[in-house]
Structure formats: C-alpha cells, structure tokens
Amino acid sequence: MTDRYAVIGHPIGHSKSPLIHSLFAQATGQDIAYTAIEAPLDGFNQTVLGFRADGGRGVNVTLPFKLQAFQIATEPSERARLAGAANCLKFEGDRILADNFDGVGLVRDLQHNLGCPLVGKRVLLLGAGGATRGALLPIAAQGPALVAVANRTADKAHALRRDFAAHAQLLSGGYADLAGQSFDVVI
C-alpha cells in the first residue's frame, strides 16, 4: 500500500519537495505518494486533519503555517517546543507528533556542506517567522559572537528576542535598526 505524504503551505506552487521526495523514494525503493497542498490562510488545521483522515501519514509544513503546526501537535519534540514552531508532522493513531528540522538542517548545511563554521561569527537572520524560530537556537549553540534578527516589522523581531531571551542573547529590530553593522554570515 502506498504511504501518502505532503507539504502544506500558502503559496506552495514553488515547492520542490514533491520532486525531491519522489526521487528519494524511487532511489530507496519506497512506495510513497508525496504531493503539495496549498491550504487556505484560515484553513491550515482543517487541511491537516482532512489529509490525515484521508489516510495521510505525515506532512512537511512551510510558510506561513509553522506556528500553527506546533499548535496542532499533540506531542511536540523538544526542538519544536523550544522553537514554538514545527515544520514536520507525523500521524500515529490519535497522536500528531511534531518536530522542527529547520535549525539542525541549516547548521549542518552551513558547516559541513559549505565549510562555514559559526563559532565566533557575527550572524544576521533575515525574518522573524517560523523558520527563524527553528534556526535560532541551533545557530546560537554553535557559539557565534553575535546573532541578530532583522524583520521588515521591528515589533515581530523584538517579540522573537523577548521569546528567546532565556536561551540566546540577540539583537533585533527592523532592517533600518541594524543598518551600518557588519556581519560575517547573513541568512
């Protein structure tokens, strides 16, 4: 029986996830169907629950639904809990397990694939949404000299700094607030 998975977002037409996952499944001999689902902005929960009710086994979650994915979870991982956001949901019976791989994947890609260690670096994250929430602590764990978050709306960046104050020392603000500073890595 074919296992069904999807990526859910809005918009979603740009996603390469169906192609990537289908090729990986083919290469490893797994019988899956992986599709892209564009959920209405006010219909994420209904879309997820409908996909699960139709036999879906799990979903990847992209913008703008990572905070809602965390909220719908019945069992978030520690990474998802710390981030307050999830990019992966797995369905097991009545349980919805959530995790967040944004940060661990990004750090691995930067350090191992690009040869860019973060120790002692000045890092600027652009945006203050779910992906940044998932990336922030794994980046901070690498020992950068500074982590700054800039967002087009400074209030959202300041809220992120407040939410993570116990876990990481951050600068935050709108793009203009951080102008004139130098950074080694911009993400």
Side-chain angles (χ1 to χ4, degrees):
M1 181 173 189
T2 302
D3 291 332
R4 295 182 52 233
Y5 299 94
V7 58
I8 297 178
H10 185 100
I12 199 64
H14 66 282
S15 178
K16 301 296 184 210
S17 290
L19 174 64
I20 293 166
H21 287 279
S22 295
L23 290 173
F24 179 76
Q26 183 181 20
T28 59
Q30 297 185 41
D31 185 15
I32 71 164
Y34 189 102
T35 58
I37 300 173
E38 185 161 323
L41 291 175
D42 62 350
F44 175 75
N45 287 9
Q46 296 87 340
T47 302
V48 168
L49 297 175
F51 182 75
R52 180 177 74 166
D54 288 341
R57 305 272 317 260
V59 296
N60 294 113
V61 180
T62 191
L63 61 88
F65 300 122
K66 293 180 182 190
L67 301 177
Q68 290 173 297
F70 173 73
Q71 293 168 350
I72 197 174
T74 59
E75 295 181 34
S77 70
E78 182 70 4
R79 279 190 298 249
R81 189 186 65 71
L82 288 170
N87 69 346
C88 183
L89 300 174
K90 180 180 177 182
F91 312 129
E92 288 185 355
D94 292 340
R95 303 181 313 157
I96 300 176
L97 291 77
D99 208 335
N100 191 311
F101 300 106
D102 283 329
V104 295
L106 176 61
V107 167
R108 179 166 176 72
D109 194 39
L110 286 169
Q111 295 188 149
H112 296 283
N113 295 338
L114 298 176
C116 179
L118 299 175
V119 173
K121 300 285 172 82
R122 295 175 53 86
V123 178
L124 173 63
L125 295 169
L126 299 176
T132 297
R133 294 181 77 83
L136 194 59
L137 294 179
I139 288 171
Q142 299 307 306
L146 171 72
V147 177
V149 176
N151 194 61
R152 60 187 157 78
T153 54
D155 289 347
K156 194 171 179 183
H158 293 312
L160 190 75
R161 183 179 70 194
R162 182 193 64 238
D163 291 350
F164 286 85
H167 303 286
Q169 188 170 15
L170 300 170
L171 289 179
S172 68
Y175 295 128
D177 298 332
L178 299 173
Q181 294 202 38
S182 64
F183 297 94
D184 303 304
V185 179
V186 178
I187 302 168

